[in-house]
Amino acid sequence: MKKKIAILGSTGSIGKTTFDIIKKNKKDFEIILLTTNKNTNKILQQAKLLKVKNILISSQPHYLKIKKKLKNSKIKVHNNLDNLQNIVKRKIDYTMCAISGLSGLKPTIDAIKFSKNIAIANKESIICGWQFIDKALRKNKTNFIPIDSEHFSIWTLLKNQNKNNIKRIYLTASGGPFLNKKNSSIENIKPKYALKHPNWKMGKKISIDSATLMNKIFEVIEAKKIFDLDITKIKIIIHPRSYMHAIVHFNNGLVKFLAHDTNMAIPIMNSLYMNYKSFIYNNDKLNFEALNGLNFIKPDVKKFPVIKLLNRIKNKYSYFETILISINDFLVDKYLNGEINYFSLNINLMKLIKIPYFTRYYKLKPKNIIDIKIMVKKVNTYLNKIKLN
Ligand code: NDP
Ligand code: MG
């Protein structure tokens, strides 16, 4: 029988990769629901191609336009992302959560209720709302598969392992497009260069976070939450080839590495076929050239000032994660719009995270996802009022 699938954020980088895998393997999968914010052309193309019955368009004007256009079509057009359970009424096999940002949190928790397996790429939701995601996973007995490549690798390496046997986990970082550039040459560098990731093709926001290494700080928090580890056990190491995705050093002296090509289709395809049947990703030979070129470097704090944030991450859950994500989102947006330069992006982030207006919340924690939303608003209201350096 075909697996029933939903893709939240099907028009984004992860969403499109997931869709394309399904398109090539139509005999194994049936898509029940696709969602987008505004990309109506793409979602319509996807829905027609695989005869998807439900599409959801979050942006109200875009929804209204398509709703009118598809008045007599078999495709049902929905608008409310906070009401997924009214669209998917029976349990489905798998949902891919690939909406970017915290808008993905509530839909992820809802999808856990109607999915046997939930694949989560949306790291912001894991970082800020893991407590609520984890609770929903346990309550609904839903299988969770992390999709971020490093976490998919760690998760694979830790199967059948006792957590107490872990000595250290190393998350590999490519170092982004500026690894070998002089600091003085990147202070005013334009976003189009920061978006040129040497190894991965990703959405805009995550590409900027990869250039500053902020993505890796987020991934440390993500790993801490998913694998319930003490923060001191998780380290970052630069590996420019991005062939190795995670290294786990065990107390018994063994070290496990996981390598694969820099293509998100690999973790996604593995998650789709999990516990199902064997499949062939491609027939390429093992990349010995990449293996011979393994090269690991300690990250330089001067190049990547955000590394200092590692000292601020606590084991205890608080508003810190939500505030960090919100400040970074705000600044990345300003940088992408040309309102601040690359230097300011880093400097302001390091400065703002320490101001008393925010630090007073680092001893408090959100009680529910509404508290998280309120905090995001609070941070944005504050940041909109101040003058950035
Ligand atoms: P993209 O920006 O490419 O796509 C995001 C998707 O979410 C799009 O479908 C977009 O719709 C939709 N979306 C965005 N904002 C909203 C909103 N407010 N309401 C409803 N839908 C919305 O992101 P990526 O695919 O790159 O990343 C998705 C998530 O996966 C992120 O959290 C990212 O950190 C994580 N991730 C991504 C990796 C990658 O390789 N790209 C690797 C590891 C993790 P629209 O098309 O209309 O904008
Ligand atoms: Mg990653």
Side-chain angles (χ1 to χ4, degrees), residues 25 27-28 269-270 273-281:
N25 295 278
K27 59 182 189 330
D28 295 331
M269 194 159 178
N270 275 277
Y273 279 102
M274 192 76 52
N275 305 327
Y276 186 42
K277 64 177 187 185
S278 59
F279 69 94
I280 294 171
Y281 167 70

Side-chain angles (χ1 to χ4, degrees), residues 191 204 329-340:
K204 279 188 177 178
D329 270 2
F330 182 90
L331 294 172
V332 169
D333 210 41
K334 293 261 170 224
Y335 172 62
L336 283 170
N337 291 334
E339 292 173 56
I340 58 172

Side-chain angles (χ1 to χ4, degrees), residues 123 148-151 200 202 206 215-216 219 222 264:
K123 61 181 78 185
D148 210 341
S149 64
E150 298 76 2
H151 304 76
W200 295 100
M202 305 183 284
I206 185 171
N215 183 45
K216 220 42 65 176
E219 289 185 353
E222 199 184 351
M264 286 304 292

